[in-house]
Amino acid sequence: MATHIELGALDKALRTLRLGGMLDTLDTRLSQARAGDLGHIEFLQVLCEDEISRRESAAMERRERRARFDEPVTLEGFDFAASPKLPAAQLRDLGALRWLHAGESVILYGPVGVGKSHIAQSLGQLVIRQGMDVRFIKTSRALAHLAGGHADQTWRKRLAELTKPALLILDDWGMRELTAAQADDLYELVSERSGKSMILTSNRAPEEWCKLFPNPVVGESLLDRLINTSYRIFMDGPSYRPNKRPGQTPTANRAKTGSR
């Protein structure tokens, strides 16, 4: 049996090697080893696996914080039964992330409240699970963020912040007409992200976007780069938001219990 002195020395050594996470499961693994459930090699292996799991979990939590999602949602938790009009098969197919690995983008458009932001953030969560960075931001806030860079000479740095993640989700795209400066910033952002995926959610159909740009040439050039490399999915149906009220039972579950 290990003495307090030996464990103290081990504690110090693990922390020096930045393996302090092993201490969280050390007592459990020692008990298993003493009971004969783990051999010497197995003991070392499971401790290493514990540390790997801890680091992967911590890394995922950091990526989730950096993503700045509005809410913790998942594709599995989306109630596709809320509206028979929703293209459930297409939306579920996006979960395979083939579009991401091909450097393609996704445009989710349709009426207010049908679940576009939920699906977008759910796909972002799947990307995070694969070890990649995601950034979720309202389009208006992204434009304000870039505009602030013109004022304090940090525009290039701010542009890089939105260019770096493997996936950029711009929520509420095309809400209002753009100024010339905003259109130029969007053009630069889309150009810098060439070959990297984006998800756009919008209440307007892509055919309506061009009229939001003060300079048609800039608008057509930007949209040509974006739309022609994107999956366009129309989401229609009643508002999904009442289905998410506190205490509300998901539609699928209500159906199973016979509720109306």
Side-chain angles (χ1 to χ4, degrees), residues 112-180:
V112 173
V114 293
K116 300 183 297 295
S117 296
H118 184 129
I119 293 295
Q121 292 179 89
S122 297
L123 293 172
Q125 287 281 3
L126 292 176
V127 174
I128 282 175
R129 291 179 198 174
Q130 291 205 359
M132 291 175 276
D133 280 332
V134 176
R135 179 67 189 277
F136 173 86
I137 188 170
K138 300 290 184 184
T139 304
S140 59
R141 292 178 187 169
L143 290 172
H145 183 62
L146 291 173
H150 292 297
D152 64 7
Q153 309 302 312
T154 60
W155 183 84
R156 181 56 60 181
K157 178 181 178 182
R158 296 184 186 210
L159 179 66
E161 290 174 6
L162 298 176
T163 302
K164 184 178 179 180
L167 174 64
L168 174 66
I169 303 174
L170 290 177
D171 197 34
D172 290 337
W173 171 283
M175 290 287 286
R176 57 183 65 85
E177 293 183 0
L178 302 165
T179 66

Side-chain angles (χ1 to χ4, degrees), residues 75-88:
L75 197 60
E76 300 88 344
F78 188 79
D79 185 8
F80 286 99
S83 173
K85 293 183 178 181
L86 289 173

Side-chain angles (χ1 to χ4, degrees), residues 2-3 23 30 50 54 60 63 69 71 89 97 99 114 125 149 160 168 180 184 187 218 244 256:
T3 66
L23 297 169
L30 280 173
D50 290 342
R54 186 194 68 81
M60 190 164 76
R63 290 194 296 273
F69 293 126
E71 53 185 335
L97 302 182
W99 51 274
V114 293
Q125 287 281 3
L168 174 66
D184 288 343
Y187 178 84
V218 173
K244 300 171 70 176
K256 292 178 181 178

Side-chain angles (χ1 to χ4, degrees), residues 30-39 42:
L30 280 173
S31 296
Q32 291 175 323
R34 289 165 184 157
D37 296 331
L38 296 175
E42 291 172 316

